Structures are given as structure tokens and as C-alpha cells.
Amino acid sequence: MKVLVAVKRVVDYNVKVRVKADGTGVEVANVKMSMNPFDEIGVEEAIRLKEAGACSEIVVVSLGVPQCQETLRTALAMGADRAILVETDAELQPLAVAKLLKAVVDREQPKLAILGKQAIDDDANQTGQMLAALLDWPQATFASKLTVSGERAEVVREIDGGLETLSIALPAVMTTDLRLNEPRYVTLPNIMKAKKKPLEVLKPDALGVDPAPRLATLKVEEPPKRQAGAKVADVKELVAKLKGEAKII
């Protein structure tokens, strides 16, 4: 079984995100970038499937600027077999990403496509669902446990009321949640081996997809700073503040 995992290059989760002075976006120049944490969980899960004998090949794919090759090399060092970069300087929005991934899936014919449930930069939480719709494949989002047996996968997923277990037919799309696994550390020998693993670079035109954005970002601004709390003498004063100042009751 071939597994395809999508990975995204984002601002590292340890870095404080700063908005550009002109309000057109966030600052990424001279900022540490890394693999989206939910995508890293997806790579780890694919590796575990391979170690368990349920997967024969892991293909990782990323979309974006040439520097995304660094993210793909990290995935290869973790244990993926080969990588594909769809190189473009266009601003990629969820629908364009889903269309590009569909073209790659049509080309590679995997049995399982794994994506992070969302990227920590835009928090869109749309791409996995859009990809499943475009492919007309079953989907299991927010997965916290995955078991593959033959032509079916059993997925335990996080929902508001607790956990839900789904049995879906393969091929399918799955998106990862935090509790699915804990990604392994990349060792130096594997980093060196990853440099020799195949990494193919494609253009959106070769896949027959127009990645031009359909939405325009009007302005990006930081959230307002939180105000300091205040102590009240009694319940009567608390209720008065909730009514008069906070206006929530």
C-alpha cells in the first residue's frame, strides 16, 4: 500500500509571529521555518504503518517556494521514501492546495492520503475535506488512532462529545489530530541518507492546475492586548461590572 503525506512549510511554532508593517501579512523574512506540526504527525503515522507492514511506500508532497525542499528533506530523514515538490510562488489557498494535491494523487495512486488537520499559520482546516470531496473518497478527520486492515481503515476521531470510531474503505483521506502519535527525532545519519533520496520538482502547469488565489486578504493585524483583571469586593459589584463594563449579562 502506498501512502501519500502532505507537508507544509510554516513559521516555527516556537517563533512569535509578527505582522508586517503594511498589514499585508505576517513577517517570514529571516524567520525560522519548519514543518507544520500536524503534518509531522502525519509523516510519523505513515512511518509507523510501514514499520507494521501495512505500507510499502511513503511519498511526501509539499507545495510552494523552493525552500520547501528543506521541509521535504526533513520528512525523508524521518523515514519517507521519496518526495515531490510542486513549486510555485503563488499565494496558495486551501482550494488551490486541494486541487494540486488531487492532481498528485491521480498521478501517484496512493491508497491513503494523510494531511494535518490544519496548518498553524492560517488555521483553515479545509484542505483535507476539500481533497476528499474532489477525489470522491471517504474521509476521517481529526484522527487520534488509525488501524489499517486489508482494504479498510478504522479511525478513532476527536469530536466535541468525545471520540467517534469510523470504519472506512480505502482509498481514503485522513487528517491528523495531536493525540495520534508523537513524532520521532531525526538523527544525523538519517539526515545524511535523506540527501540521496529522490525529490521530484513539478510545476502547477504540468499538473493542469491554476493556483491563482480566489480570495484577497484586505488586512492583517495583531489581536488587541489583553487588559489586566480587577478584584471586586462582593458579588453585587461583580454583577454590576458584568452588566455595565463587560456588557455580557
Side-chain angles (χ1 to χ4, degrees):
M1 180 179 78
K2 182 189 294 187
V3 176
L4 184 140
V5 186
V7 297
K8 185 177 183 181
R9 179 177 182 263
V10 298
V11 176
D12 189 86
Y13 66 92
N14 287 313
V15 174
K16 177 177 171 55
V17 176
R18 289 181 169 80
V19 176
K20 291 180 179 178
D22 58 4
T24 58
V26 299
E27 191 61 64
V28 295
N30 301 315
V31 172
K32 181 182 178 183
M33 309 291 283
S34 62
M35 188 188 304
N36 180 48
F38 292 105
D39 299 342
E40 193 174 9
I41 292 170
V43 175
E44 174 65 27
E45 193 63 21
I47 296 168
R48 294 188 183 191
L49 286 174
K50 188 174 182 181
E51 291 172 343
C55 167
S56 57
E57 184 183 24
I58 302 169
V59 181
V60 288
V61 57
S62 189
L63 320 171
V65 296
Q67 290 86 341
C68 291
Q69 292 190 33
E70 301 169 7
T71 306
L72 289 170
R73 291 294 179 193
T74 299
L76 293 172
M78 288 177 67
D81 297 298
R82 57 190 179 90
I84 298 172
L85 171 62
V86 181
E87 188 179 306
T88 175
D89 293 325
E91 177 194 348
L92 293 175
Q93 296 174 351
L95 181 58
V97 172
K99 288 181 177 180
L100 288 168
L101 288 177
K102 178 187 181 296
V104 175
V105 168
D106 290 342
R107 190 171 180 264
E108 293 292 329
Q109 294 295 307
K111 282 285 187 179
L112 181 64
I114 302 178
L115 294 80
K117 71 171 185 177
Q118 64 196 74
I120 62 171
D121 52 2
D122 58 17
D123 279 330
N125 182 20
Q126 296 175 347
T127 306
Q129 294 88 329
M130 288 178 171
L131 175 61
L134 291 172
L135 291 168
D136 196 22
W137 283 7
Q139 60 177 300
T141 54
F142 316 124
S144 61
K145 185 178 179 181
L146 169 67
T147 305
V148 175
S149 179
E151 292 297 312
R152 299 195 70 84
E154 185 174 287
V155 181
V156 179
R157 59 188 299 266
E158 308 267 348
I159 60 174
D160 290 341
L163 300 174
E164 180 183 55
T165 302
L166 300 177
S167 177
I168 57 176
L170 299 177
V173 174
M174 186 191 82
T175 69
T176 64
D177 212 328
L178 280 174
R179 278 164 285 278
L180 182 59
N181 61 53
E182 184 175 342
R184 66 194 65 192
Y185 289 103
V186 179
T187 62
L188 182 58
N190 286 337
I191 292 174
M192 301 307 293
K193 291 177 184 177
K195 294 181 179 180
K196 297 181 180 179
K197 291 184 178 180
L199 193 159
E200 183 180 5
V201 179
L202 302 172
K203 296 290 186 181
D205 293 345
L207 298 173
V209 177
D210 178 13
R214 267 64 174 177
L215 305 174
T217 301
L218 301 181
K219 187 179 181 182
V220 177
E221 57 185 12
E222 293 186 10
K225 292 183 179 180
R226 296 182 62 180
Q227 296 181 351
K231 290 184 178 181
V232 294
D234 50 33
V235 175
K236 184 178 179 180
E237 185 183 352
L238 173 62
V239 173
K241 285 183 176 292
L242 291 175
K243 283 184 177 180
E245 295 181 16
K247 299 185 185 303
I248 59 175
I249 62 173

